[in-house]
Every structure is written in structure tokens, then in C-alpha cells.
Amino acid sequence: MKIRKLTEPDYEVLVEWWKAYNFKSPPTKDILPENGKGGLIIEKNNKPIAACFIYDTNANVSWMAWPISDPQYRQEDRDLLIETLLIAAEQISISMGNKLMMSIGRSKSMVNKHKKLGWSIDHNPAYEMIKLI
């Protein structure tokens, strides 16, 4: 298992994954941190398994966003690999000097992973409000 920073070629892999999950419009590089390279990817046997992006803010807060995994990867260690990626993202956030990390998601599986790793989960429905400007 290897965790590394995202690189330019990883973006095309992530776009394939987003499309496989029926994302109507995968995020473009210009709205991702570091033009699509501001995040982490976890690999096993040199095969990418999952990735996430980490936005740094002008406060001691980071936002972990766009978590995605290979929809074809169905091995028994999938949950462990994704949890390991989340822990690595938290460590990166700490190294940035941040004191709070945020994430938004609908997937019960991801919510449960966050809960297992000590994240506070608000069980009241929330809505993402996005406006293209």
C-alpha cells in the first residue's frame, strides 16, 4: 500500500471513476486545489484505489472533498484502504497547522468511515448550496 500526492495524470483516472459513478459533471481542475493535484491517492500493487482532495483555507481549517474510489475495486480491504486514506488526509491537515477538518457527503459508507475515525456527524439533513458564477 502506498499513499502519495496526486499528480497531473491522476486527474484522468479520477474523471473515469466519477463518470462510472454517474457524476453529471466531474469537477474541473480549476475548481480543485492545486489545479487537480491538491490531494492524496492510495494505491495497492501500483493500482490506484481511492483519492481525495484537501482544500486549505485562510483560517486553521481544511476541507476534505471529492472522495472517490475505483468502482471496480471490490476486494475485502477496500474499507481499510479508504479509511487509511482519510487518516492520511487528516495528518496532512495537521501538518498544515489546521485545527479543524470538514467534509460533506451523502454516502452511508463514507459517513460510517468518518464516524469510525472519530469525526463528529450531524444527523440533521443538510443541503449543499452551489452556484456557478
Side-chain angles (χ1 to χ4, degrees), residues 80-91:
L80 175 64
L81 291 170
I82 294 172
E83 288 170 11
T84 302
L85 179 68
L86 295 176
I87 291 167
E90 183 178 338
Q91 291 169 343

Side-chain angles (χ1 to χ4, degrees), residues 62-130:
S62 61
W63 177 38
M64 198 239 3
W66 307 106
I68 189 75
S69 63
D70 180 350
Q72 301 299 315
Y73 191 82
R74 297 287 179 213
Q75 294 188 18
E76 64 280 347
D77 62 352
R78 178 186 179 87
D79 286 345
L80 175 64
L81 291 170
I82 294 172
E83 288 170 11
T84 302
L85 179 68
L86 295 176
I87 291 167
E90 183 178 338
Q91 291 169 343
I92 294 292
S93 184
I94 290 168
S95 74
M96 293 172 164
N98 292 321
K99 297 179 181 175
L100 185 129
M101 192 169 186
M102 297 173 54
S103 183
I104 299 172
R106 292 183 190 99
S107 161
K108 282 192 182 254
S109 173
M110 285 300 286
V111 169
N112 289 336
K113 285 175 184 56
H114 282 77
K115 186 184 283 188
K116 179 179 177 184
L117 297 173
W119 288 63
S120 175
I121 309 297
D122 182 350
H123 293 285
N124 293 319
Y127 301 93
E128 297 169 20
M129 285 145 297
I130 299 170

Side-chain angles (χ1 to χ4, degrees), residues 55-62 96-100:
Y55 290 85
D56 197 12
T57 69
N58 62 356
N60 288 333
V61 176
S62 61
M96 293 172 164
N98 292 321
K99 297 179 181 175
L100 185 129

Side-chain angles (χ1 to χ4, degrees), residues 17-56:
W17 293 352
W18 281 314
K19 288 180 178 178
Y21 283 112
N22 296 318
F23 273 66
K24 290 179 184 170
S25 298
T28 55
K29 288 181 184 180
D30 62 329
I31 65 167
L32 295 169
E34 297 178 40
N35 206 37
K37 297 180 284 186
L40 301 173
I41 192 162
I42 190 165
E43 299 175 330
K44 183 176 177 185
N45 300 324
N46 294 318
K47 179 179 177 20
I49 307 299
C52 67
F53 291 88
I54 304 167
Y55 290 85
D56 197 12

